[in-house]
Amino acid sequence: LVGMKCDNLSLLAELLRAAGLFMRWFGQVIQPSFESSDANDNHFSNNPTTRLKCRGMLLLYCKILEMETPTIESPDIPRFSSICLFRATYGNDDLTVSARKTVVESIDGCVFLVNALTKRDQPIPRLFSVLRNVHHLVSTVPASAALMDKAIDSLNEKTSSNDGEFESKYGLVEVLVDNLTWTVQSLPPFPGDKSDRRSEMASEILRSLFAVDVRRASKYLPSNDTMTKIGVILCDLLKLPNVDDRVHQCKLAVVALLLNAPEEYSGYLLANGGIIPLIDIMKYQASAIIARKRSRPDDAASIVPIMLVLGKLAQANETVLKMIRDEVFPLDAEKAFEEMAFAEVTKKKSEGKVKAKNMAPLDAPIGTLRWKLIRLMTWTESNVKRSVCELLWTLCGQDSTQFILRTGFGNAIHFLGIKGIVNLPAGVDT
């Protein structure tokens, strides 16, 4: 690239952009129309993207990632090549799956991506594109995480031969965490203006960390130092003001990552101010779903992760449990609730182990957080109502009578039936 004339650089950039856009268009527009029809496989016998996804082109995309652009004003050709690599390997059709396999197993694509990921002083859009490739491969090809660890090992060995230092536990997770740290802590203050893509980068890194953890394919388990560094960044992100939706999306990515957090993270988040922001996310997500007034397919993705995370943290730490409970069932309303609960229990109406049968919650004023959560207990999306019920069950100390008093027998009966505490009518799905 250094020796190429400006016109040739521009031509190469436009060719790569055209190739990436063509693969995207064919994959998103043309291919689905064939798959949804009754057409036979002959429609794909002459797939026009075949040559763009062949071994030689895949290797070319990878090789260009290593090249340097002559000047700041030059087209960012490595970025366009990274986009082509992503488009060539993104999809589930046979051709694309084969291309993905070629990148990982045949042309050392993981090595090229690691080299690009660890390169310093590169434009944010290019780094974001490389990260998207890393996330995609780790998510779809479990073996790729270990291959990237191995590639990072090789880089460390080269570094150790030059300066005499060698970090024995520095793999893909550590590289991702270092990139996340820079993304969040660099200037200008995160997330920057509307043109700043660091928020997208942060979300992509968080999703990559989640994919590595879920797959458990990484060679190294993160060290305590790495886990602490992750915790610091996660708390920094959670405590950011919601200046726009970009920050909120980063926080949702944090929530997803916390699904796999070790139990001791509960105390860490508590000590570093991370619990209240998580509760605020629950409030916002619950309010957004209730405001729609009807179930939607994306409801589960909106509310289930935060419910599971808060439930997990509450079970691991009694102080966290109390904080969440006090937000859902405020202390200033407890005296009135306890008086109503006492009156209800003294009626001596019971169902099995349950010592109360009030059909409606005793204290859930319209618009309050507890009212919204109780409404979600009977939501038509099964994962939504189950996750909400599980959190409220935890907040009630897994006490069936307390659960009924708080939420109402009509709302709680199905969940208690699943738990085997009350008998459900024959034929009811559990």
Side-chain angles (χ1 to χ4, degrees), residues 83-99:
I83 293 172
C84 282
L85 183 63
F86 178 78
R87 291 299 169 194
T89 58
Y90 184 78
N92 295 316
D93 60 284
D94 291 343
L95 176 62
T96 305
V97 171
S98 176

Side-chain angles (χ1 to χ4, degrees), residues 4 23 50 84 102 107 117 125 150 189 222 273 329 355 365 392:
M4 290 181 70
M23 286 187 282
T50 299
C84 282
T102 298
I107 61 172
L117 184 62
K150 184 177 179 181
F329 306 117
K355 305 303 180 185
L392 291 171

Side-chain angles (χ1 to χ4, degrees), residues 130-186:
V130 172
L131 282 164
R132 191 166 57 162
N133 274 294
V134 170
H135 175 208
H136 173 54
L137 288 185
V138 169
S139 299
T140 55
V141 186
S144 59
L147 291 173
M148 291 182 194
D149 275 334
K150 184 177 179 181
I152 293 168
D153 267 348
S154 298
L155 288 177
N156 286 339
E157 289 171 3
K158 291 177 182 178
T159 303
S160 66
S161 64
N162 294 330
D163 57 22
E165 295 181 0
F166 177 72
E167 294 193 48
S168 59
K169 287 190 176 182
Y170 191 85
L172 177 59
V173 170
E174 284 72 19
V175 170
L176 291 172
V177 171
D178 284 347
N179 275 281
L180 181 62
T181 302
W182 176 86
T183 300
V184 176
Q185 296 182 350
S186 60

